[in-house]
Amino acid sequence: VQLTESGGGSVQAGGSLTLSCSYSEFIYCMGWIRQAPGKEREGIASIESDGPIRYAESVKGRFTISQDRSKNMLYLQMNNLKPEDSAMYYCAADSVGPGYCSHYVIGSPEALDEWGQGTQVSVSS
């Protein structure tokens, strides 16, 4: 499976960005993970193909994950960005079954099978 992120960039605090991830084939569980320099990977949003969505507390209410299966695209709408949101953002996927997606994406992202190359987000104060 190929995952390709785009849409990163530099914004000021309070601004918005939308990240996109194109994928080559359907995978049931997808999500967004970020990693800042010197910090561990943080799973921030997961989505199962039949709907269930979960967010990490750090982004809840500010970020929205969505998927367009007709276009093989995954999105992350990020609003009210903060300097602490600065990180490399990765699209990831796994074929785990229903109900387990958030457990892996948010709980144990290092266990996910498929990863994109990442897109950088920088938020200045």
Side-chain angles (χ1 to χ4, degrees):
V1 176
Q2 290 185 329
L3 304 172
T4 305
E5 303 94 336
S6 60
S10 297
V11 296
Q12 290 190 328
S16 298
L17 279 175
T18 299
L19 305 183
S20 300
C21 172
S22 65
Y23 52 92
S24 58
E25 61 186 79
F26 168 78
I27 294 185
Y28 182 78
C29 165
M30 300 197 72
W32 290 95
I33 293 89
R34 66 186 181 186
Q35 188 169 23
K39 294 188 177 181
E40 294 185 352
R41 290 175 176 175
E42 178 189 17
I44 56 173
S46 67
I47 185 168
E48 299 182 27
S49 65
D50 57 1
I53 290 173
R54 299 289 185 270
Y55 297 99
E57 287 298 321
S58 58
V59 305
K60 196 174 290 185
R62 300 187 298 123
F63 291 11
T64 303
I65 188 172
S66 61
Q67 186 176 37
D68 186 340
R69 290 183 56 188
S70 68
K71 297 181 180 178
N72 279 14
M73 293 293 294
L74 182 73
Y75 303 100
L76 186 69
Q77 174 67 43
M78 306 186 294
N79 297 327
N80 190 21
L81 283 160
K82 304 175 182 180
E84 52 264 42
D85 294 318
S86 296
M88 185 70 79
Y89 282 71
Y90 298 91
C91 169
D94 204 290
S95 56
V96 295
Y100 289 91
C101 188
S102 62
H103 172 77
Y104 284 89
V105 173
I106 297 175
S108 300
E110 65 279 358
L112 295 169
D113 284 341
E114 310 291 343
W115 290 80
Q117 83 288 348
T119 187
Q120 181 70 43
V121 172
S122 298
V123 185
S124 59
S125 57

